[in-house]
Structures are given as C-alpha cells and as structure tokens.
Amino acid sequence: MREDKLKSAVLELIEPVVVQQNAEIAELVVSRYKRDVTLRFFIYSNEAKTVGQYAGISRKIGEVLDESGLLDDGYMLEVSSPGLDRPLT
C-alpha cells in the first residue's frame, strides 16, 4: 500500500481513538524503508501533560492498529507532542 493511502487508512482508524482520549492528531508522518514502516504521531492534548499520559495514548493507538490487521508485517510507532518549536501545519 502506498504511503498516502496508508496514511489515510491509519488516520481514519486512529482519529476516533485519539479524540476519545481528549486529544487531536496534529500530524502523522508515515515513512517506509523497504518493508519497515514507521508511524510518527504528533498528538496535541490539553489534558496529557506527562510522558505517562502520552504513553497511555500510544498504547491505545497500538492496540487498535494491532487489532485492525492493517500492518500485519509490523510497524514502529512513535507518539509525541508537537512541541513549541514545531511549525504549525
């Protein structure tokens, strides 16, 4: 699956989960090297202020991705806040 189609499919799948956690996806970057896929989520939340709270959101995202079977060959998941120095998109 091409990166743009994969990104759309992942966003459609994950956005409700993130919203349920009172957060929003600021950006999703999908990168692929050979068969390895990396998903970098930049999540904004007024409530999540600690690494532990973002880790909870990351676990939820991982659970949904695993159950979906969308990335059966595996993937690397990175979840973080955009930070103040990250440009708005």
Side-chain angles (χ1 to χ4, degrees):
M1 185 179 299
R2 290 185 27 212
E3 280 82 4
D4 56 338
K5 289 188 181 193
L6 178 59
K7 183 176 180 176
S8 295
V10 168
L11 282 172
E12 184 177 319
L13 186 67
I14 298 303
E15 193 159 19
V17 174
V18 173
V19 168
Q20 190 176 43
Q21 300 296 311
N22 295 318
E24 63 183 80
I25 299 170
E27 185 177 3
L28 168 59
V29 177
V30 177
S31 59
R32 185 186 306 258
Y33 178 73
K34 296 184 181 178
R35 292 181 59 115
D36 297 333
V37 175
T38 301
L39 303 173
R40 284 185 189 89
F41 282 92
F42 296 94
I43 306 290
Y44 174 76
S45 173
N46 283 330
E47 295 179 11
K49 304 287 189 217
T50 67
V51 171
Q53 290 167 316
Y54 278 97
I57 294 171
S58 178
R59 277 191 295 278
K60 295 280 188 192
I61 291 172
E63 289 169 5
V64 171
L65 287 171
D66 291 346
E67 291 172 4
S68 75
L70 186 62
L71 297 160
D72 283 338
D73 290 338
Y75 60 93
M76 181 178 291
L77 176 62
E78 298 176 8
V79 176
S80 67
S81 65
L84 295 175
D85 60 337
R86 188 160 186 84
L88 295 175
T89 58

